[in-house]
Amino acid sequence: MQVTTVGIDLAKHVFQVHGITEDGTVVFNRAIRRAQLVAFFEELEPCLVGMEACGSSHHWARELSKLGHDVRLIPANYVKPYVKRGKSDAVDAEAICEAVTRPTMRFVAPKSEAQQAVLFLHRARDLIVRQRTQLSNMLRSLLVEFGFIIAQGTGSAVKYAKSILDGDKPDLPEIAIDVLKQLSHQLVAMHLRLRWYEMRMRLHSKLDKRVMLLRTIPGIGPVTASAIVATVGDAKQFKNGRQFAAWLGLTPLNRSSGGKERLGRITKMGDRYIRRLLVTGMTARLRQMKVNPDRVDPWAIDLLARKPPRLATVAMANKTARIVWAVLTKNEYYRPHTA
């Protein structure tokens, strides 16, 4: 009995595999240890393999693809409707096997090692940013108890920390001074570490042509461009720009029924990291608009005149996401429309 479709429920050490034939006959549903998984699939004829897009899924997709199998990654939320009552590893593997055969199922494109290496850099940088913000907030909250106020912005906190390390000594108890120096050391070191990540990211962005293409789009910097390319590659897994914007969670929530169109707030169902970078970039672009209105397209100016600033930045991020898709799929520089 030749196996045509296999569903794998991924885990750290013990995997559950569910295989069926072309007519749906179950051939096996068994547990396999991690060290035996590759050898198990080497004995199978090339077939369709489905697994959830979760931790280690891209690694196993690459490994099984080398053996000639057609590996497809499914978002976990799309597998849930096929899980029958009494959830277990065996039931999950069966549900994955069923979901991967659906003609309308949407899949996640497996990432290469190069893409995951860049995302490695982004995740580490994002951690350092959050830790630096925590340290600066801690510094502010402790000093305000003694009547010392640090100006807004992370840069002001770092500048104050450097002044403490240079010898400035506020009128505080000795134990508070010791703690302040330790926090200042941590904050300055964290800031310098973040600078290293940003320099490494800028260096990589100059080596990737697709990143350079995206940087021609207004509001897209090296960090955002690098994150998009590392996450979606050439973006050809999306049919159009709206589908890409919807994947990022930038499209309105649709609750239409009975012929009546009801659109709500944005869904926020997609990639949170890229969505945040796009909205942040459009916010910076909105600030530049107030200083240099001649450098912004009339559409954005008209939008800001009709809508609140936050709504305008999200709408601009939605439009930029569609431009990003067009630039990646056509492999061309961004050319603004001339009226």
Side-chain angles (χ1 to χ4, degrees), residues 32-64:
I32 298 178
R33 299 198 66 83
R34 179 187 181 90
Q36 303 169 344
L37 188 65
V38 174
F40 176 81
F41 277 93
E42 285 178 342
E43 298 178 358
L44 294 179
E45 293 292 330
C47 60
L48 176 63
V49 180
M51 59 183 76
E52 290 182 337
C54 58
S56 77
S57 61
H58 295 277
H59 164 73
W60 289 114
R62 292 191 297 267
E63 292 297 317
L64 299 184

Side-chain angles (χ1 to χ4, degrees), residues 42-247:
E42 285 178 342
E43 298 178 358
L44 294 179
E45 293 292 330
C47 60
L48 176 63
V49 180
M51 59 183 76
E52 290 182 337
C54 58
S56 77
S57 61
H58 295 277
H59 164 73
W60 289 114
R62 292 191 297 267
E63 292 297 317
L64 299 184
S65 295
K66 294 177 183 177
L67 303 177
H69 298 287
D70 181 14
V71 184
R72 300 183 184 180
L73 305 181
I74 313 172
N77 288 339
Y78 293 169
V79 177
K80 189 176 297 184
Y82 298 94
V83 177
K84 299 181 176 62
R85 183 181 300 177
K87 184 182 182 302
S88 64
D89 291 346
V91 173
D92 288 346
E94 181 184 358
I96 295 170
C97 188
E98 174 69 21
V100 76
T101 60
R102 297 301 90 198
T104 58
M105 182 57 63
R106 296 178 181 176
F107 301 102
V108 178
K111 294 181 177 60
S112 65
E113 289 187 347
Q115 285 179 282
Q116 288 197 296
V118 177
L119 289 177
F120 202 131
L121 181 63
H122 278 273
R123 299 295 181 261
R125 175 190 173 275
D126 191 45
L127 173 64
I128 298 300
V129 170
R130 286 187 278 114
Q131 290 179 340
R132 187 184 64 169
T133 302
Q134 290 174 345
L135 280 172
S136 61
N137 289 340
M138 173 62 72
L139 199 63
R140 282 192 176 86
S141 62
L142 292 177
L143 287 173
V144 76
E145 298 294 336
F146 292 94
F148 293 93
I149 305 298
I150 301 178
Q152 291 184 352
T154 305
S156 299
V158 173
K159 183 178 179 180
Y160 183 86
K162 289 181 179 178
S163 69
I164 295 298
L165 298 181
D166 289 339
D168 289 353
K169 191 174 182 181
D171 186 16
L172 295 174
E174 183 178 355
I175 187 172
I177 292 292
D178 293 339
V179 174
L180 180 60
K181 289 182 178 179
Q182 292 297 321
L183 288 176
S184 298
H185 272 294
Q186 286 182 262
L187 182 58
V188 173
M190 199 72 66
H191 181 69
L192 293 176
R193 193 173 302 169
L194 179 61
R195 291 285 299 276
W196 180 89
Y197 280 104
E198 291 178 346
M199 291 174 59
R200 186 66 180 83
M201 201 170 293
R202 289 178 184 274
L203 177 62
H204 175 267
S205 66
K206 295 179 181 179
L207 303 176
D208 195 319
K209 180 183 177 182
R210 291 173 298 181
V211 175
M212 299 303 295
L213 291 177
L214 291 184
R215 292 187 62 181
T216 61
I217 304 174
I220 300 292
V223 176
T224 306
S226 175
I228 292 174
V229 171
T231 304
V232 303
D234 57 8
K236 291 183 179 179
Q237 63 267 38
F238 303 100
K239 294 181 180 179
N240 49 48
R242 188 193 182 282
Q243 192 177 96
F244 176 58
W247 179 77

